[in-house]
Amino acid sequence: MDDARRAAVEGYLRSVSGDAALRIEAASLLSGGAIQQNWALDVVRHGAPEAWVLRTDNAATLAVSLPRAAEYALLRAARAAGVTVPEPLFLCEDPAIAGAPFFVMRRVAGVAAGHRVVKSETLGGGRAALAQAMGRELARIHSIAPPRDDLAFLGAAPVDAGRAFIAAQREALDRQREPRPALEWGLRHLERTAPPPVPARLTHNDFRTGNIMVDDGGITAVLDWEFAGWGDPAADLGWLCARCWRFGNVAREAGGIGPRAALYEGYGAVEDARVRWWELAAHIRWATIAIDQAERHISGVERSLELALTGHIVPELELEILRMVETRDA
Amino acid sequence: MHEQPDAADLLETARALLLAELLPALPASHAFAARMIANAMAIAARAARDATAWPAPPDAALIRAGAYDPGTPQHDEIAARLLAMARARCAVSNPRALRDD
């Protein structure tokens, strides 16, 4: 963060924080996703040190991700529902201050990196305890039901989230430069076997290992709300359990962390067959996201080796989709 | 014709040097970038060596319309062709995905 931007952010925080003498002592870029920038801010407010995170957008962003103002509203709603999220503090919708809208939330300590979490026997209080805790967090998220004035930006809830998913994925495939017969094969299977619709609830839509921050005691924060929407709650359980999100620890079906039974127990009533349908859907969704990310590189919107390599995940997802369909059709 | 060694050989040799000599000397903050570069070189080398005779891909629109659903005459053949193509694509992009076969 250059000096001018830091001074502008500091000036803004002085105006909204109730401390006209607030100081930013340090600002450092945290490792973030492909879409956002996250800055660790060490501030002094009313003479006492506080640890905050400033979250803003990269220049090029995926069309499907929610803007910062929406993410801020989601954090507030989730916190009110008892979900473990960082406390949202201030929202700045004026892009002139920092170059893009941003919000500030309290900084939470812990580990999120998927490959570290799945290797640990003790993080989050142990594997079964952590899987159970993830189930409880999801149940709290799914207690949020439409309509909600504060979440109006999410639009109308789908009548049938499964069929809406299939239609949206086909639209995404129709925008690609190449046909994707293996993904079509998976989508057609989903269409043939779609479960009946359920009332929509708030779904996080990226609730997986890597986005759950933990310490030795348990979950410290559910992160990355930018894909949230109204949907079938089983979609979140399926995304978390999908083999492609177990970080190589495939025997631990709940996100590579713990037993599926512990996750379900923490969640409450689970319709397992519906979760399994969404697990296949998860592989298709991750494949279309990976194709989109590679396309940002190929098209020149954002030249990046990381985005380029993400495209090479698609074949293994196709193979897994074909295997799952074969097993489910048998 | 091109001079030898060919593209795949050069990529493999350069990658081995990157992993053996450069990666251990790099600060931890650059290790991820170095591993991404090594991965990209490995994919490119496998692609350069790949001699797959690709079959015609099944028609995506017909799959979508249900023309090859279970119980239709061509279902088994289309399913087998899709699997073979996915395996051949994994052999270039990520051969580790084939370990479960």
Side-chain angles (χ1 to χ4, degrees):
Chain A
M1 195 178 290
D2 63 33
D3 288 348
R5 192 175 174 208
R6 179 166 154 170
V9 169
E10 189 175 61
Y12 176 79
L13 293 174
R14 284 175 175 174
S15 72
V16 294
S17 67
D19 179 6
L22 177 143
R23 293 194 317 278
I24 298 177
E25 300 276 286
S28 58
L29 187 61
L30 297 163
S31 56
I35 303 162
Q36 285 85 31
Q37 284 179 19
N38 293 307
W39 293 85
L41 300 185
D42 295 331
V43 303
V44 175
R45 176 161 65 156
H46 299 305
E50 295 193 30
W52 295 352
V53 169
L54 182 152
R55 193 158 157 82
T56 187
D57 294 290
N58 276 331
T61 56
L62 287 179
V64 292
S65 76
L66 297 168
R68 287 320 110 221
E71 202 180 352
Y72 185 79
L74 283 162
L75 281 181
R76 289 174 62 103
R79 192 171 166 84
V83 184
T84 308
V85 290
E87 182 188 357
L89 296 169
F90 313 107
L91 168 69
C92 174
E93 294 189 80
D94 178 1
I97 306 282
F102 67 89
F103 68 82
V104 174
M105 58 189 177
R106 211 170 281 287
R107 194 152 88 231
V108 174
V111 179
H115 63 279
R116 286 183 60 191
V117 175
V118 300
K119 281 190 186 122
S120 170
E121 298 294 330
T122 55
L123 272 174
R127 292 181 178 280
L130 180 52
Q132 253 190 17
M134 291 193 297
R136 287 195 297 273
E137 295 289 343
L138 272 179
R140 289 174 195 143
I141 295 170
H142 298 160
S143 73
I144 301 171
R148 288 270 298 240
D149 289 343
D150 57 331
L151 304 177
F153 55 85
L154 294 177
V159 174
D160 185 331
R163 295 200 181 273
F165 170 82
I166 294 166
Q169 291 292 301
R170 285 176 171 163
E171 269 177 40
L173 289 177
D174 289 341
R175 285 195 301 269
Q176 305 300 336
R177 59 178 80 223
E178 305 284 348
R180 297 283 178 174
L183 303 186
E184 297 284 356
W185 193 254
L187 283 169
R188 176 62 189 161
H189 174 92
L190 289 181
E191 189 170 53
R192 288 190 278 110
T193 62
V198 289
R201 295 299 179 101
L202 185 70
T203 48
H204 179 284
N205 291 336
D206 205 9
F207 191 99
R208 60 166 176 85
T209 305
N211 285 339
I212 317 291
M213 187 170 273
V214 299
D215 65 11
D216 286 335
I219 293 172
T220 59
V222 177
L223 304 172
D224 289 338
W225 289 77
E226 68 266 23
F227 297 107
W230 302 121
D232 181 341
D236 275 340
L237 289 158
W239 186 251
L240 172 62
C241 290
R243 190 183 159 108
C244 57
W245 287 123
R246 295 181 199 162
F247 288 84
N249 203 5
V250 294
R252 312 278 188 173
E253 295 188 8
I257 288 172
R260 183 187 293 262
L263 172 74
Y264 284 10
E265 196 183 306
Y267 185 81
V270 175
E271 196 186 328
D272 181 64
R274 182 179 294 274
V275 175
R276 306 279 178 168
W277 187 93
W278 282 106
E279 275 176 58
L280 173 56
H283 285 79
I284 297 170
R285 177 170 164 235
W286 177 207
T288 58
I289 292 171
I291 291 166
D292 274 337
Q293 294 206 352
E295 183 60 28
R296 287 168 69 197
H297 170 80
I298 294 165
S299 66
V301 168
E302 185 185 355
R303 298 290 291 175
S304 149
L305 184 55
E306 187 170 9
L307 293 175
L309 289 172
T310 301
H312 282 275
I313 295 172
V314 175
E316 67 198 71
L317 293 170
E318 290 177 350
L319 184 57
E320 186 61 24
I321 288 161
L322 296 170
R323 284 171 174 159
M324 290 174 90
V325 169
E326 191 175 32
T327 304
R328 290 168 57 88
D329 274 339
Chain B
M1 74 196 295
H2 295 148
E3 188 62 53
Q4 293 294 312
D6 65 13
D9 185 323
L10 287 170
L11 285 161
E12 286 159 358
T13 308
R15 179 176 184 270
L17 186 60
L18 169 69
L19 292 176
E21 293 191 20
L22 293 190
L23 182 57
L26 285 172
S29 57
H30 291 298
F32 179 62
R35 286 204 191 86
M36 282 200 301
I37 292 166
N39 188 24
M41 295 169 88
I43 293 169
R46 289 191 297 265
R49 288 203 190 285
D50 182 48
T52 302
W54 295 98
D59 187 296
L62 288 175
I63 293 173
R64 191 181 289 193
Y68 306 127
D69 280 359
T72 61
Q74 285 181 275
H75 170 269
D76 293 358
E77 187 259 321
I78 298 288
R81 206 195 309 171
L82 287 170
L83 264 175
M85 293 179 74
R87 288 200 177 100
R89 284 156 53 70
C90 285
V92 169
S93 292
N94 182 10
R96 281 178 301 175
L98 298 171
R99 280 183 307 193
D100 298 342
D101 272 16

